[in-house]
């Protein structure tokens, strides 16, 4: 399963510049037999001291999973450049998700200065477009 992903979802974060919350979540989606969602920190996390958009894949409702639950997932997260797709920023990872590790991703996905600059093409009409491709291995 070299570059094959089971599920591709697109998440439009509306009114990105005016978001007041520390973190925002996508709707849940299912890959394999598990629920997933995306988690974004629009102003970065404490780990991204260089003020970057932080973006993660997460297992929602993990407290309801059996103690022995685990899944090995491969995923690609992309912040889409809406003016020129080849300038999009993407990162790929593999991770064993389990009850004690339900979130994994990238604290420094894209510098906020680049993301918020109107002429760079990541923020268009107040919206940021995120694409996630996920496979459970």
């Amino acid at each position: 399963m070299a570059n094959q992903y089971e599920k591709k979802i697109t998440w439009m974060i509306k009114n990105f510049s005016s978001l007041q919350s520390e973190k925002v979540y996508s709707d849940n989606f299912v890959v394999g037999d598990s629920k997933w969602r995306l988690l974004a920190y629009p102003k970065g996390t404490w780990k991204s001291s260089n003020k970057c958009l932080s973006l993660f894949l997460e297992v929602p409702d993990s407290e309801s999973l059996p103690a022995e639950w685990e899944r090995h997932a491969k995923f690609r997260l992309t912040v889409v450049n809406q003016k020129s797709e080849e300038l999009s920023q993407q990162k790929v990872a593999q991770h064993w998700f389990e009850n004690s590790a339900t979130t994994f991703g990238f604290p420094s996905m894209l510098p906020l200065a680049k993301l918020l600059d109107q002429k760079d093409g990541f923020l268009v009409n107040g919206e940021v477009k995120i694409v996630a491709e996920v496979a459970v291995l």
Side-chain angles (χ1 to χ4, degrees):
M1 190 182 275
N3 287 318
Q4 218 166 330
Y5 293 92
E6 294 173 36
K7 184 84 150 202
K8 182 176 184 175
I9 66 127
T10 300
W11 178 29
M12 297 298 288
I13 304 175
K14 299 182 185 318
N15 304 314
F16 186 86
S17 300
S18 57
L19 287 174
Q20 296 302 310
S21 51
E22 178 186 321
K23 53 187 170 182
V24 290
Y25 297 96
S26 71
D27 291 336
N28 291 350
F29 56 93
V30 175
V31 181
D33 62 353
S34 301
K35 283 186 194 172
W36 305 88
R37 68 182 173 191
L38 299 178
L39 164 60
Y41 290 84
K43 296 170 181 59
T45 65
W46 57 270
K47 291 181 181 177
S48 66
S49 56
N50 54 353
K51 295 292 179 207
C52 292
L53 169 69
S54 300
L55 194 56
F56 301 89
L57 180 64
E58 180 175 82
V59 179
D61 309 322
S62 57
E63 60 281 346
S64 65
L65 295 171
E68 68 281 354
W69 183 90
E70 62 179 24
R71 296 292 182 274
H72 185 205
K74 174 182 176 185
F75 60 98
R76 176 185 359 233
L77 301 180
T78 305
V79 182
V80 177
N81 186 301
Q82 299 176 65
K83 290 184 178 173
S84 177
E85 285 215 13
E86 59 268 6
L87 296 176
S88 297
Q89 298 289 307
Q90 67 177 224
K91 294 190 178 188
V92 178
Q94 287 189 47
H95 182 69
W96 276 101
F97 290 85
E98 54 192 52
N99 276 341
S100 61
T102 58
T103 304
F104 192 80
F106 311 102
S108 300
M109 186 69 193
L110 182 66
L112 288 177
K114 188 169 188 62
L115 179 67
L116 297 173
D117 189 329
Q118 293 291 327
K119 64 183 180 295
D120 272 333
F122 291 101
L123 183 68
V124 175
N125 297 325
E127 297 183 337
V128 173
K129 183 178 181 180
I130 309 287
V131 174
E133 297 166 272
V134 181
V136 177
L137 305 175

